[in-house]
Amino acid sequence: MKALIVGAGHMGGGIAQVMAAAGHRTYLNDINLAIVNRRLDAIAGWLAQSVQKGKISEAERAETLANIIPSTDLGDAENCDIVFEAVIENLELKAEIFRKLDEVTKPGCILASNTSSLSITQLAEQTERPGQVIGLHFMNPVPLMKLVELIRGTATTDETFTAVQTLALSLGKTPVEVRDVPGFVLNRVLQVMINEAIYCYYEDVASAEGIDTVMKLGANHPMGPLALADLIGLDTVLYILEVMHEVYGDEKYRPCPLLKEYVAKGWLGKKAGRGFYVYE
Ligand SMILES: NC(=O)c1ccc[n+]([C@@H]2O[C@H](COP(=O)([O-])OP(=O)(O)OC[C@H]3O[C@@H](n4cnc5c(N)ncnc54)[C@H](O)[C@@H]3O)[C@@H](O)[C@H]2O)c1
């Protein structure tokens, strides 16, 4: 299978890595080569560590890297069987990319979005092939996390659903079908908890470390909610909360003012070197 990933960020890089490791020729596309190369370096570093830990062989490392082709031209999707869209969580941008992908890909090519909160039906409506559009929501970090949420738009065909479900299983993932509602299941539950943790910090209920320790030791979470928010990216957390707040019209999704302040300051979490914690 030939694939193209649009967006060489955390998620796009992870999807490219698992697709390439499974033997698929995979274009990794972003707006410029410097971004793609930075992500390729990160993937190379991850694979080198996996060899050191004895998780993969040297040959598997080399084969995975060789399967990833850098791209800055969406036209590279012309012969692909599937395209994964993983650009930032912004409806206008994703809609524009779906319109372009519909023009450049061959008939029958599946267009999958990794959106965390936006409507798959709305993205599908940008194209002349709504039957081949689907949500395939991977978790971060993609190579480690088993879950994918599978989301049908109103027109997604059974054939598309089965093809993507089979692909997800072949990548070692556990697909769960969820309805096309903002935030699906994972983010409806998770982001409310993260937002509440940010409110606790904002109201000085405890330090960031204190809040994360409470949730790790008290609720047995492997990672505290503030560290997790930093890992996801605070811009992504804010955008998902804003979408759910607007669409559901429920105050429980109202983003904490501190989250807005951090995002406005460019404190986007780990990827920016600063969020609730400071990173090297
Ligand atoms: N971060 C997470 O934990 C997480 C988890 C699941 C799903 N998601 C979803 O995955 C998607 C990507 O999130 P991310 O965390 O990887 O974001 P990110 O900010 O790390 O990466 C987004 C990438 O998209 C690129 N991009 C922007 N415009 C583009 C264009 N026109 N063409 C090609 N590339 C373009 C950016 O340059 C950037 O490299 C979002 O929809 C997000 O909601 C994120």
Side-chain angles (χ1 to χ4, degrees), residues 6-12 29-31 35 39 74 85-90 93-94 97 114-117 137-140 187 231-233 235-236 240 271:
V6 196
H10 284 96
M11 299 306 293
N29 174 283
D30 209 298
I31 47 182
I35 299 177
R39 187 57 53 190
L74 276 191
E85 172 280 308
V87 301
I88 49 170
E89 190 74 346
N90 178 294
L93 178 62
K94 285 184 191 281
I97 284 174
N114 193 52
T115 179
S116 304
S117 57
H137 182 219
F138 286 88
M139 306 295 130
N140 184 16
N187 281 302
L231 180 69
I232 293 170
D235 50 343
T236 302
I240 296 169
K271 64 185 169 188

Side-chain angles (χ1 to χ4, degrees), residues 82-159:
I82 186 164
V83 175
F84 299 87
E85 172 280 308
V87 301
I88 49 170
E89 190 74 346
N90 178 294
L91 180 60
E92 288 73 36
L93 178 62
K94 285 184 191 281
E96 187 193 324
I97 284 174
F98 269 78
R99 286 194 290 271
K100 278 193 198 154
L101 287 173
D102 194 34
E103 280 171 25
V104 298
T105 52
K106 62 185 180 188
C109 173
I110 293 174
L111 306 181
S113 176
N114 193 52
T115 179
S116 304
S117 57
L118 299 169
S119 162
I120 299 304
T121 299
Q122 221 172 332
L123 293 177
E125 281 166 359
Q126 309 302 318
T127 74
E128 299 294 324
R129 66 178 84 192
Q132 280 77 52
V133 175
I134 192 162
L136 183 57
H137 182 219
F138 286 88
M139 306 295 130
N140 184 16
V142 179
L144 292 184
M145 299 291 279
K146 290 276 177 229
L147 177 72
V148 290
E149 289 180 313
L150 270 187
I151 308 110
R152 292 177 197 256
T154 46
T156 307
T157 64
D158 287 344
E159 198 185 350

